[in-house]
């Protein structure tokens, strides 16, 4: 991928995220028929997975910082969703369309659980 293609991909996703703040399904539907999706992402699922990757990278960075700031992992995820409503709405819509994207939700929850640390109700006595 060239720098030019990377910038095109980022601009395409930014435009989608912006449109998704008011109509996430409409943003996905308009992207689905776009030649740019084929050229930049391979197919619609490639686009959805790229959006998912963007979210997970932002979440991981926020969780790393939260550990230093003594903030809860669940609060960090909620704050990130509030700060990025278009992206979160796209991912929720994408999870309804793609089994692969939906499966990644479990991985996200696992990541949040790891950062949250052990919970008292889940501990066993050895």
């Amino acid at each position: 991928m060239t720098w030019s293609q990377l910038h095109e991909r980022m601009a395409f996703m930014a435009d989608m995220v912006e449109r998704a703040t008011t109509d996430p399904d409409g943003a996905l539907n308009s992207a689905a028929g776009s030649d740019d999706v084929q050229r930049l992402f391979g197919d619609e699922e490639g686009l959805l997975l790229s959006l998912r990757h963007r979210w997970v990278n932002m979440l991981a960075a926020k969780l790393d910082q939260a550990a230093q700031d003594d903030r809860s992992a669940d609060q960090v995820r909620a704050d990130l969703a509030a700060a990025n409503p278009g992206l979160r709405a796209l991912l929720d819509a994408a999870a309804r369309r793609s089994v692969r994207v939906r499966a990644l939700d479990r991985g996200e929850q696992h990541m949040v659980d790891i950062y949250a640390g052990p919970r008292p109700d889940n501990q066993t006595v050895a």
Side-chain angles (χ1 to χ4, degrees):
M1 175 184 322
T2 66
W3 282 111
S4 177
Q5 288 170 319
L6 174 66
H7 290 288
E8 284 184 82
R9 283 172 61 115
M10 297 304 286
F12 189 92
M13 287 190 295
D15 182 56
M16 275 194 73
V17 167
E18 170 117 8
R19 285 184 286 136
T21 58
T22 57
D23 184 12
D25 287 311
L28 284 174
N29 289 338
S30 68
S34 168
D35 290 337
D36 288 335
V37 170
Q38 292 287 356
R39 184 175 56 81
L40 297 171
F41 302 95
D43 58 16
E44 182 181 353
E45 189 163 70
L47 168 62
L48 299 179
L49 293 172
S50 293
L51 290 164
R52 184 82 179 125
H53 181 75
R54 183 175 178 184
W55 170 263
V56 169
N57 282 340
M58 290 189 317
L59 180 60
K62 294 291 186 183
L63 288 170
D64 281 341
Q65 184 61 43
Q68 300 298 316
D69 297 342
D70 198 31
R71 295 182 57 220
S72 82
D74 289 328
Q75 185 61 51
V76 167
R77 183 167 47 179
D79 291 347
L80 184 62
N84 297 277
L87 180 56
R88 187 66 254 166
L90 275 173
L91 294 175
D92 292 342
R96 292 189 296 272
R97 292 178 180 219
S98 168
V99 172
R100 289 179 70 191
V101 172
R102 193 167 40 253
L104 293 172
D105 285 342
R106 288 188 296 276
E108 177 184 329
Q109 184 58 53
H110 184 66
M111 183 171 67
V112 170
D113 291 344
I114 288 170
Y115 275 93
R119 297 182 184 189
D121 58 337
N122 289 343
Q123 294 181 352
T124 60
V125 178

